Amino acid sequence: MENNKFRLMKDMYSDNRGGHSKFVDLYCENCGVHVLLYQKDGPGPLKRLYLDRILAPSEFTSLQSVEKLPDLYCKTCNRLLAIPYVYERENRRSYALLAYVTVDKKGKGGYPPKRLSLGK
């Protein structure tokens, strides 16, 4: 298992969104397992995952070089979380998150995080 501490990326995309960035830990809403660590730029809800902002695990960071993206499933309960999508305004490959299938929590940039307690 990876054990890393990441730094926020600063580039034209973060600058276009006001220079406000944060780490987000994404969890499966169904089973509570951690899916990935993501850098969110700008305000508002998380709607899509740009490939260049997925920081961990390596199984998702390597998707930038894949020509045809697979759907994104939870590795534990096999729930569909997101589908491939191209954000046309910036011509950026990404995943469109499906509504109500993920829980995101502000992260500190460390990977792996602690398991999420869903209180079920």
Side-chain angles (χ1 to χ4, degrees):
M1 183 169 267
E2 303 167 42
N3 194 3
N4 297 314
K5 179 73 174 169
F6 294 91
R7 292 179 172 263
L8 292 171
M9 292 180 266
K10 295 287 186 183
D11 58 14
M12 66 180 227
Y13 297 117
S14 60
D15 291 343
N16 288 344
R17 289 166 176 80
H20 176 73
S21 299
K22 64 181 178 180
F23 292 113
V24 175
D25 287 308
L26 199 68
Y27 297 87
C28 175
E29 186 274 334
N30 189 51
C31 67
V33 73
H34 184 263
V35 179
L36 54 84
L37 175 65
Y38 184 75
Q39 177 178 322
K40 167 116 175 61
D41 298 322
L46 186 59
K47 297 178 184 177
R48 61 189 151 263
L49 304 170
Y50 298 109
L51 297 183
D52 61 337
R53 292 297 194 253
I54 299 173
L55 304 172
S58 57
E59 67 190 84
F60 295 122
T61 59
S62 63
L63 290 174
Q64 291 184 47
S65 61
V66 174
E67 189 172 323
K68 184 174 176 1
L69 291 174
D71 290 343
L72 183 64
Y73 288 91
C74 174
K75 62 185 172 189
T76 303
C77 69
N78 209 33
R79 186 174 193 179
L80 180 62
L81 304 175
I83 56 173
Y85 170 76
V86 175
Y87 184 57
E88 290 186 19
R89 282 180 34 190
E90 296 175 348
N91 196 28
R92 288 173 78 185
R93 295 174 57 196
S94 61
Y95 277 102
L97 288 171
L98 300 178
Y100 308 111
V101 296
T102 59
V103 175
D104 54 69
K105 299 286 183 187
K106 185 174 181 181
K108 296 182 180 181
Y111 185 83
K114 295 180 179 173
R115 186 173 174 92
L116 180 65
S117 175
L118 293 175
K120 289 185 177 180

